[in-house]
Amino acid sequence: MRRERKKKKWLKWLLLSFAVLLLGAGAYVFTVYQSLNTATEKMHDPIERESSEKRVEQVKFNEQDPFSVLMLGVDERGDDQGRSDTMIVMTVNPKEETTKLLSIPRDTMTEIVGKGIDDKINHAYAFGGIPMAMDTVENFLDIPIDYYVQVNMEGFEDIVDAVGGVTVNNSFAFEHGGHNFPEGELTLDGNEALSFSRMRYEDPDGDFGRQERQRQIIQGVVREGASINSLWNYGNIFDALGNNIKTNLTFDQMVDIQSEYRAAASNFEQTSIQSGYGERIDNIYYYIVPDEEIQSIQASLKDHLDI
């Protein structure tokens, strides 16, 4: 009898302990959910922009429609709106289970839609903010640009620090911004990552080399942010995201993307403009992309978006 009572007592404590763990886990998950919801509400910044003529029907995430996102890294300069230092177009196709990232050199000459001039593509943001940048990139690539994500590059170092730093592979040694970057695998904090991603003129590949470093930083943030270790630092991560990222995607849309496009989001294909040349016009440097190269890129992206 005594042994049976002890057994029941241990079973009671075991069940009680299990219940406490479940309640604690539930409270933790709820807290994380609330923090994420708060951060995404802060990030959400809808824009006044007419629907694209290139998008006949609105994207339906629950039907797994392919979609596109313009990612802008913006250097804000005091009261000046600044320029989009980084421009990456992301197309997502859940049926192919792939996500393509196309980096556009910021000096690319193209028509600035709404301004009526040909200029560097990154000037579109300075002239007319997100709407003009989206319209200009849409016209350049001849595909619908459905959503945008704007990252404040000055605050990007906060995001890197929040995930505990990032690991990159550096193809050649250089110094920039007071930091030394030897060749090989490097672990960078936020300030180092920002400096690493900004170096341009010492790179033999110029803007293309800088784009590659930026992609490494972005992928490093995604990789570290998704790790188990980051779960314990979710508050700082969500704060950093909320303070430094703007997007017209809503919280519910982000949840749908996570649910319906998970396989595609884990399979990145990096693409770039393969041919072009630099030219000075009126003593200003521009990057000229030949028509045949533009048409090739347009065809590839249209195929990926099933249009």
Side-chain angles (χ1 to χ4, degrees):
M1 285 292 290
R2 184 177 296 176
R3 181 177 297 176
E4 188 175 340
R5 283 198 300 270
K6 285 185 176 180
K7 185 177 181 181
K8 287 181 178 179
K9 187 176 181 179
W10 278 110
L11 181 60
K12 177 182 176 182
W13 279 108
L14 181 62
L15 291 174
L16 181 60
S17 298
F18 186 62
V20 170
L21 284 172
L22 280 179
L23 287 172
Y28 177 77
V29 170
F30 178 75
T31 302
V32 172
Y33 178 86
Q34 287 292 94
S35 296
L36 177 59
N37 194 13
T38 299
T40 51
E41 284 182 358
K42 194 172 182 180
M43 290 161 55
H44 183 57
D45 190 16
I47 56 173
E48 293 184 6
R49 180 177 182 248
E50 293 183 8
S51 299
S52 168
E53 295 179 358
K54 303 182 189 301
R55 176 66 71 186
V56 179
E57 294 183 4
Q58 190 174 2
V59 174
K60 298 181 181 67
F61 291 127
N62 61 338
E63 295 182 12
Q64 294 192 324
D65 290 342
F67 67 96
S68 65
V69 180
L70 174 61
M71 302 170 65
L72 297 169
V74 176
D75 268 327
E76 297 175 352
R77 308 167 186 182
D79 295 331
D80 185 6
Q81 182 166 253
R83 293 193 177 103
S84 50
D85 192 53
T86 303
M87 304 185 81
I88 298 174
V89 173
M90 179 174 71
T91 57
V92 185
N93 188 313
K95 297 179 183 66
E96 295 183 11
E97 297 186 350
T98 54
T99 295
K100 288 189 176 182
L101 296 175
L102 170 70
S103 294
I104 303 176
R106 66 179 190 175
D107 294 328
T108 300
M109 174 176 268
T110 191
E111 177 189 353
I112 307 299
V113 176
K115 195 70 174 175
I117 60 173
D118 286 352
D119 203 342
K120 296 184 180 185
I121 197 167
N122 73 321
H123 287 187
Y125 177 83
F127 290 139
I130 294 294
M132 190 173 287
M134 293 178 73
D135 289 342
T136 297
V137 172
E138 186 171 272
N139 180 67
F140 177 65
L141 296 176
D142 196 30
I143 61 169
I145 298 296
D146 301 305
Y147 304 99
Y148 83 90
V149 174
Q150 174 188 326
V151 181
N152 174 17
M153 295 306 291
E154 284 294 333
F156 194 69
E157 62 181 280
D158 295 335
I159 299 174
V160 173
D161 284 334
V163 300
V166 294
T167 300
V168 299
N169 283 300
N170 188 26
S171 57
F172 66 96
F174 66 90
E175 293 183 5
H176 185 72
H179 299 290
N180 179 45
F181 300 101
E183 183 179 349
E185 186 174 280
L186 307 174
T187 299
L188 310 176
D189 64 21
N191 189 261
E192 291 168 335
L194 186 61
S195 183
F196 180 79
S197 66
R198 278 179 166 169
M199 195 279 283
R200 179 186 182 192
Y201 296 109
E202 298 174 36
D203 194 317
D205 292 327
D207 207 34
F208 292 100
R210 188 172 66 104
Q211 290 169 17
E212 171 58 28
R213 287 190 297 279
Q214 290 169 348
R215 283 198 292 258
Q216 285 199 58
I217 297 296
I218 291 171
Q219 289 179 328
V221 167
V222 172
R223 182 172 58 249
E224 295 299 331
S227 70
I228 294 296
N229 292 334
S230 292
L231 288 176
W232 307 108
N233 196 33
Y234 70 88
N236 289 337
I237 293 174
F238 292 159
D239 283 345
L241 293 175
N243 290 332
N244 296 294
I245 292 180
K246 296 296 180 186
T247 180
N248 58 339
L249 285 164
T250 66
F251 176 73
D252 289 340
Q253 288 173 326
M254 293 181 195
V255 171
D256 287 342
I257 291 172
Q258 170 62 21
S259 172
E260 303 293 341
Y261 297 77
R262 188 175 303 164
S266 62
N267 185 15
F268 284 91
E269 293 183 5
Q270 298 179 5
T271 60
S272 60
I273 295 175
Q274 297 297 316
S275 65
Y277 57 93
E279 182 175 320
R280 286 197 169 273
I281 302 175
D282 295 331
N283 207 32
I284 298 174
Y285 176 86
Y286 295 94
Y287 186 76
I288 311 298
V289 184
D291 289 342
E292 56 270 23
E293 176 68 6
I294 295 176
Q295 291 165 7
S296 175
I297 294 168
Q298 291 173 346
S300 175
L301 293 178
K302 287 177 181 178
D303 181 66
H304 198 235
L305 290 171
D306 292 340
I307 57 176

